[in-house]
Amino acid sequence: TEEMEAKQETKRVLLPTDVTPTKYHLTLTPNLPEGSASPAESTFDGVVSVDVKVNKSVSQVTIHSKEIKISLVKFEGSNKSLQANKIEFNTELETVTFTFSEALPTGPASISITFQGILNDQMAGFYRSKYSIDGQPAWLATTQFEPTDARRAFPCWDEPAIKAVFSVTLNVPQSLDCLSNMPETSSKPHPSLPGRRSVSFADTPIMSTYLLAFVVGRFSHISATTSYGIQIRVFTPLHKESHGTFALNVATSVLSYFSDFFSVGFPLPKLDLIAIPDFAAGAMENWGLITFRETALLVDPNSPSISVKQRVAYVVSHELAHMWFGNLVTMEWWKELWLNEGFATYVGNMAVDYLHKEWDMWTKFVTDHVARAWDLDSLKTSHAIEVDVASSAQVNEIFDAISYSKGASIVRQVYEYVGEQNFRKGMAIYLNRWKYRNAKTVDLWDALGEASGLDVKNFMANWTRVTGYPVLNVKRGANDEELEVSQEIFLSSGEKPAESPLWWINVGFIGSENKKHVVKVDVKERHQRVNVKLGKNKWLKANAGLTGFYRVNYEESLFKQLVAHLQELSTLDRLGLQNDAFAMAKAGRMGTVQVLELVREYAKSEKDCTIWTDLAKNLADVGVVFGTHADPRVTAGWTAFTQQTFGRLGQQYGWDKKPGESDLDSLLRPIVIGRLGGSDKAIIAEAQKRFEEYYTHVKGGASAKKETLEGDLRATVYSLVMRNGGEAEWNKLHELYNASADQSEKVRCLRALGSGNTKEMLEKALNWSLGGEVRNQDIFIVFGATASSGKIGRETTWEFLKSQMGRIEGA
């Protein structure tokens, strides 16, 4: 395996290591448009002087550069001063090569580069974003360098393993604020640029290029100090400081929590979190200056939505986890991206669970991440967690649910395998051993093995190196003392390949007689007998607590026993039983009727919000077939089944919050109303009534503090109204979209605007999304909504994509 990995790594397109950087002295002057001006292109000027080490005497130096004009390159070292006599760009490899008249002497030196770049509109590199100041249009400049776009901002060695120190100076208009990774050290009028000030920042720790960041604009902010004396600031749009309060409280608590959990302190003196109007991802973990979409950082205190608060708490915690996993210790190459994202996803959930036990985050984790990864990784087109990429052009392809969600799922698996104390001890070993350096997956397994005394390296090998995951087939053995289990790769298509990988599965069993005591058994063989003393148990459940990344397929008698004693199972085990059953039915391993009979059992008494969220999704997948069937008897039967399934909950939860209601109950209500609203005329009429009241309230300019439609219910009502409406409803939702300054509310409107029930309304939404009124970062929301609007929505969206690809690419 190691030999194969070495061969793979030789395929990587990497920079020569003849000359390597130790410190960048970077000065940038962004030329932002003024006032309402919207030029097609904006630029920035820059100079970077790089302290380098010449490891080998060469006459050429190749580094990364993209969409940058370079006017001058100078070398200084060993009493020798040279100017590059040739500058050659390779647009395919995104590199530039400087050729000097003679070989450079070895040892310490410096290379100075004068250049100009583009403040683009692509939300990559150093880019511009339009916003408003007191109602007037304005521009800000910000960065997004991960994975490989630092090279758009300045010529550099843009690979994660080539770390250096960064000293940043920004020449900005006097009226604008500016931020970077480290605290500001000086601000003084620029000697030759009237109306500008030159702002310098403290040197960063040694770090990768993709973690550098700077922002120029006008903002408001609030601040707090952690128990360890670290200053945390949250930057918001002007006059919206209160919208950052929730995120500030989360960040202040979580930064200290991680310092304690990992036994490694946060190494920077400050941490800034800032909301950016145009942002491609959810957030970016720049060390000391984390950038966010507004929806991932801001919470309107006048209309606090639980779902929005959950999202903000998680995203903030995820990004703070990166301060250790990714920033302090960085992956050696993008093959180990999961070391960044999988760990941040797992411990991000851990931090939110620490803050908000009432949200039951580990059950939510299964639906948000484990089930999501199961779905993607059961496809033949999936890929392993560790997948080597040859060049920067391929890196974006692996920022997916495998790196994030499957990565997090197997971290949870190894956490359960070694235990909490050994996990924490192993994390401390790993972080201290590799801090300010680059690590590989095996380095993590070695640290956890050292802490636990267990063979973590071999236990986890195939979980990261092999595509897919196993299904564990479970049936009764020859006597009441044992079970017979077998493992094979699980494919949602139902295919059973002639050859299947083998995994080391640490299976947890519980039964009616040992509900609180999990019996752990290692399954390493294709077929294996397991001693569990089945005869004393009325039922037995494998993968107890859903701690393992595998599915379970029971023989019929064992499955029926579990169904008969459904409410004796824990929340996580009830969640897993139905999720596995739906997967087995989809793969043709279980009858659909059997699964729907299982759903009826849940409908009798299940009350957990997360289980119902997952059930609703799984039933929606079945509804794609039955709900749009050509035979009206089938569609009528499916409608009746849906009403029966959710009817009890509809009566129980109604439309309005009840005194003392939990957050999870409040989140369950819109799910139930949404499902019943597919055909219940009374539900639809009530949604239309409440929408009209709220629309009148907003258009009347009434105080948001007296809103008539709570935030968590609003998205469901909007969609129901649009699915049962037409032009008039579309226009009213469009008005609400334009009337709101809250991005979370705008997202609700976008999803609803794409939920029409005719080809005309769907095409109207799609065309509108590309017309300039919707920010580029949000166009996909409309497309996702239209594609989810039944058969007509899928067909209309697909035809639109094919016919309008030119417009989409140019948006």
Side-chain angles (χ1 to χ4, degrees):
T1 301
E2 291 177 359
E3 183 180 347
M4 289 173 61
E5 287 182 352
K7 288 180 179 179
Q8 273 192 311
E9 290 174 7
T10 59
K11 298 177 184 177
R12 297 174 184 170
V13 181
L14 302 175
L15 292 173
T17 56
D18 304 327
V19 179
T20 50
T22 57
K23 183 176 181 179
Y24 294 84
H25 305 264
L26 177 64
T27 300
L28 293 173
T29 305
N31 304 308
L32 284 164
E34 295 183 4
S36 60
S38 294
E41 188 175 278
S42 300
T43 63
F44 61 90
D45 299 302
V47 176
V48 61
S49 177
V50 190
D51 297 341
V52 299
K53 183 179 179 182
V54 180
N55 303 305
K56 179 182 178 182
S57 183
V58 291
S59 59
Q60 290 187 327
V61 178
T62 298
I63 63 177
H64 289 112
S65 182
K66 183 177 182 179
E67 298 174 357
I68 285 178
K69 298 177 181 177
I70 298 174
S71 55
L72 183 64
V73 180
K74 291 183 178 179
F75 172 87
E76 297 281 347
S78 299
N79 298 316
K80 189 176 289 290
S81 181
L82 297 170
Q83 182 173 322
N85 54 24
K86 185 185 292 185
I87 301 172
E88 294 178 289
F89 293 92
N90 186 320
T91 54
E92 181 181 352
L93 297 180
E94 299 177 354
T95 60
V96 60
T97 298
F98 310 132
T99 302
F100 297 90
S101 58
E102 57 183 276
L104 308 180
T106 59
S110 69
I111 297 176
S112 177
I113 307 168
T114 303
F115 60 94
Q116 185 180 75
I118 301 170
L119 281 174
N120 64 70
D121 298 314
Q122 300 174 45
M123 295 179 283
F126 194 19
Y127 70 93
R128 64 182 187 177
S129 173
K130 200 167 188 177
Y131 68 126
S132 64
I133 298 177
D134 299 326
Q136 298 301 311
W139 293 87
L140 62 83
T142 187
T143 57
Q144 172 59 40
F145 290 164
E146 189 182 29
T148 57
D149 284 310
R151 63 193 68 176
R152 291 180 188 251
F154 61 105
C156 57
W157 286 256
D158 199 12
E159 293 170 5
I162 307 181
K163 292 190 170 187
V165 173
F166 296 84
S167 175
V168 174
T169 298
L170 300 173
N171 299 322
V172 300
Q174 292 278 5
S175 61
L176 299 184
D177 306 314
C178 59
L179 303 168
S180 190
N181 304 73
M182 298 297 287
E184 182 181 310
T185 56
S186 69
S187 176
K188 54 191 176 184
H190 195 283
S192 60
L193 296 174
R196 287 184 180 260
R197 62 191 179 106
S198 183
V199 183
S200 296
F201 300 88
D203 289 357
T204 70
I206 185 170
M207 66 184 196
S208 303
T209 48
Y210 79 86
L211 295 171
L212 187 64
F214 19 89
V215 182
V216 180
R218 284 188 63 192
F219 313 95
S220 293
H221 79 273
I222 52 176
S223 64
T225 303
T226 73
S227 57
Y228 289 99
I230 307 297
Q231 184 189 45
I232 297 185
R233 300 182 294 181
V234 174
F235 287 80
T236 72
L238 283 175
H239 317 308
K240 286 192 174 183
E241 299 96 325
S242 63
H243 290 225
T245 301
F246 180 78
L248 180 65
N249 292 336
V250 170
T252 304
S253 297
V254 169
L255 198 69
S256 295
Y257 170 76
F258 282 151
S259 295
D260 293 336
F261 189 86
F262 299 132
S263 300
V264 178
F266 180 68
L268 275 61
K270 66 91 175 175
L271 176 63
D272 294 334
L273 295 77
I274 184 167
I276 303 297
D278 293 291
F279 199 78
M284 175 60 208
E285 66 267 20
N286 316 298
W287 215 356
L289 176 58
I290 307 175
T291 45
F292 294 80
R293 272 188 183 231
E294 292 187 8
T295 55
L297 186 68
L298 306 180
V299 177
D300 185 350
N302 295 321
S303 181
S305 161
I306 296 164
S307 56
V308 170
K309 289 170 71 175
Q310 284 186 335
R311 170 170 162 75
V312 169
Y314 166 68
V315 176
V316 168
S317 298
H318 177 108
E319 300 309 320
L320 263 61
H322 277 307
M323 302 301 105
W324 286 264
F325 288 94
N327 299 9
L328 183 64
V329 179
T330 310
M331 73 236 153
E332 184 265 344
W333 178 243
W334 299 106
K335 172 185 177 182
E336 280 89 15
L337 174 67
W338 86 275
L339 281 176
N340 285 16
E341 301 303 347
F343 265 86
T345 300
Y346 178 73
V347 299
N349 279 274
M350 182 183 290
V352 180
D353 179 65
Y354 163 76
L355 291 178
H356 293 280
K357 291 291 184 185
E358 72 277 13
W359 288 348
D360 191 16
M361 287 301 296
W362 290 120
T363 306
K364 181 174 168 56
F365 175 85
V366 172
T367 58
D368 288 354
H369 299 290
V370 180
R372 182 181 177 214
W374 274 339
D375 287 346
L376 181 57
D377 208 28
S378 65
L379 302 176
K380 294 175 71 174
T381 53
S382 185
H383 63 82
I385 285 179
E386 290 185 278
V387 53
D388 213 3
V389 290
S391 67
S392 58
Q394 300 173 332
V395 174
N396 280 310
E397 297 175 12
I398 59 173
F399 280 81
D400 62 8
I402 299 299
S403 295
Y404 285 74
S405 296
K406 183 178 179 181
S409 300
I410 69 159
V411 172
R412 181 165 177 255
Q413 181 169 274
V414 77
Y415 175 96
E416 295 292 337
Y417 180 63
V418 302
E420 179 181 349
Q421 293 307 313
N422 288 329
F423 183 83
R424 293 179 66 169
K425 183 181 176 182
M427 291 300 95
I429 292 171
Y430 172 76
L431 292 168
N432 280 299
R433 181 175 292 163
W434 294 98
K435 61 186 177 183
Y436 305 112
R437 295 195 292 157
N438 299 79
K440 297 182 179 182
T441 298
V442 68
D443 300 320
L444 176 62
W445 300 154
D446 286 345
L448 288 169
E450 184 178 332
S452 65
L454 298 171
D455 188 4
V456 176
K457 182 178 178 180
N458 283 319
F459 169 60
M460 294 302 295
N462 272 8
W463 295 104
T464 60
R465 293 174 178 170
V466 171
T467 302
Y469 60 90
V471 55
L472 190 72
N473 300 301
V474 182
K475 63 180 182 179
R476 292 178 180 274
N479 56 61
D480 287 343
E481 295 291 309
E482 66 180 23
L483 293 174
E484 291 184 8
V485 300
S486 63
Q487 62 161 297
E488 60 189 315
I489 191 170
F490 177 77
L491 295 174
S492 59
S493 63
E495 294 176 68
K496 295 184 178 182
E499 294 186 7
S500 173
L502 270 179
W503 287 267
W504 178 343
I505 311 173
N506 186 235
V507 184
F509 290 97
I510 57 169
S512 59
E513 301 303 313
N514 59 328
K515 297 175 188 176
K516 295 183 179 180
H517 176 65
V518 179
V519 177
K520 294 290 186 73
V521 179
D522 284 327
V523 175
K524 301 180 184 180
E525 306 299 328
R526 183 81 60 207
H527 300 275
Q528 193 168 325
R529 291 180 178 179
V530 176
N531 191 316
V532 291
K533 298 181 180 179
L534 178 63
K536 296 181 180 180
N537 289 281
K538 297 176 183 176
W539 55 265
L540 188 135
K541 171 78 170 56
N543 198 8
L546 297 189
T547 57
F549 192 74
Y550 58 93
R551 292 198 178 278
V552 182
N553 182 31
Y554 300 93
E555 71 173 359
E556 188 173 359
S557 62
L558 293 174
F559 182 77
K560 284 182 176 180
Q561 286 180 330
L562 284 168
V563 175
H565 299 275
L566 189 61
Q567 290 309 311
E568 294 182 35
L569 302 180
S570 69
T571 302
L572 279 166
D573 285 319
R574 295 198 309 277
L575 173 62
L577 184 66
Q578 60 82 30
N579 194 285
D580 278 343
F582 274 100
M584 294 306 122
K586 185 176 181 180
R589 293 172 177 241
M590 180 182 288
T592 304
V593 171
Q594 190 176 2
V595 178
L596 297 183
E597 287 174 347
L598 174 64
V599 172
R600 281 182 171 166
E601 292 300 315
Y602 281 85
K604 291 176 182 178
S605 57
E606 184 58 61
K607 57 184 179 181
D608 184 82
C609 170
T610 310
I611 291 177
W612 276 110
T613 300
D614 197 53
L615 271 169
K617 174 193 171 295
N618 292 330
L619 286 168
D621 290 343
V622 178
V624 169
V625 178
F626 293 143
T628 58
H629 201 278
D631 188 337
R633 294 171 298 176
V634 174
T635 56
W638 181 250
T639 298
F641 180 82
T642 301
Q643 296 296 319
Q644 292 167 8
T645 301
F646 291 92
R648 173 183 63 85
L649 294 171
Q651 293 176 359
Q652 179 181 342
Y653 286 91
W655 281 85
D656 301 305
K657 279 189 176 181
K658 296 174 175 59
E661 181 175 278
S662 72
D663 285 353
L664 295 183
D665 282 344
S666 297
L667 290 175
L668 179 53
R669 179 175 291 106
I671 294 170
V672 174
I673 290 174
R675 295 299 298 173
L676 291 173
S679 58
D680 190 313
K681 293 182 179 179
I683 293 284
I684 296 167
E686 183 65 20
Q688 291 168 332
K689 172 178 169 291
R690 290 178 180 245
F691 175 76
E692 290 299 331
E693 289 174 351
Y694 182 70
Y695 172 79
T696 302
H697 157 83
V698 173
K699 296 305 291 181
S703 169
K705 294 180 180 179
K706 298 178 181 178
E707 66 179 34
T708 59
L709 189 60
E710 65 181 56
D712 287 309
L713 197 53
R714 214 175 292 157
T716 297
V717 168
Y718 288 179
S719 292
L720 283 176
V721 165
M722 191 63 244
R723 290 207 303 265
N724 294 278
E727 193 81 28
E729 287 74 19
W730 199 96
N731 290 335
K732 287 179 180 179
L733 283 164
H734 183 218
E735 288 182 53
L736 290 177
Y737 174 83
N738 287 325
S740 179
D742 177 47
Q743 289 302 309
S744 293
E745 172 69 356
K746 284 186 176 292
V747 168
R748 295 183 193 110
C749 293
L750 288 172
R751 289 191 176 123
L753 286 162
S755 300
N757 58 9
T758 66
K759 182 178 181 180
E760 291 72 25
M761 297 311 302
L762 292 164
E763 287 180 342
K764 179 184 176 89
L766 291 167
N767 277 303
W768 169 74
S769 72
L770 298 177
E773 197 173 330
V774 178
R775 289 185 181 273
N776 285 353
Q777 66 171 14
D778 294 330
I779 291 172
F780 80 96
I781 296 171
V782 179
F783 276 69
T786 59
S788 301
S789 296
K791 182 180 179 182
I792 188 173
R794 293 192 298 275
E795 293 174 350
T796 301
T797 306
W798 176 235
E799 292 303 320
F800 188 89
L801 276 168
K802 290 190 292 184
S803 65
Q804 301 295 321
M805 187 55 69
R807 285 177 66 197
I808 295 168
E809 291 175 340

